[in-house]
Amino acid sequence: QMPPQLIAAQMRAAFAANPVAAVKIGMLGTAAAIQAVGSVLADDRQMPVVLDPVLASTSGRLLLAVDAIDALCRDLMPACRLVTPNLVELAALT
């Protein structure tokens, strides 16, 4: 998995080099990755953000650490204009 500092650095570099109209977030894996993404997005609250909260694979394998669900709700969801969970993900998030 990618170090959280590298995730934040890559996001900042992409935003600096390109006009970005919106952001879509998918699988992040850990609370540290979620916090890194949330910290970058906090710099521009006007940018539309869509979150697809990938929690588990269709086979049931966890793709987001259980302790990261709180971080997702606390650090990332408030920055999002749209969250697109499936029914199982919605149940886990609520």
Side-chain angles (χ1 to χ4, degrees):
Q1 65 187 289
M2 189 180 295
Q5 303 86 341
L6 183 56
I7 295 170
Q10 286 186 336
M11 288 179 68
R12 287 190 176 100
F15 291 161
N18 303 287
V20 177
V23 173
K24 187 217 180 242
I25 301 167
M27 187 176 83
L28 292 171
T30 66
I34 290 166
Q35 291 163 349
V37 170
S39 71
V40 174
L41 295 176
D43 294 341
D44 183 1
R45 290 288 186 178
Q46 299 305 310
M47 182 171 318
V49 179
V50 175
L51 173 63
D52 179 7
V54 179
L55 304 181
S57 69
T58 53
S59 66
R61 184 174 149 253
L62 289 179
L63 299 174
L64 180 66
V66 173
D67 65 341
I69 292 175
D70 286 339
L72 187 73
C73 294
R74 179 187 63 242
D75 299 329
L76 204 48
M77 287 178 73
C80 298
R81 291 200 187 164
L82 181 64
V83 180
T84 61
N86 62 32
L87 193 55
V88 172
E89 293 162 341
L90 181 60
L93 293 170
T94 57

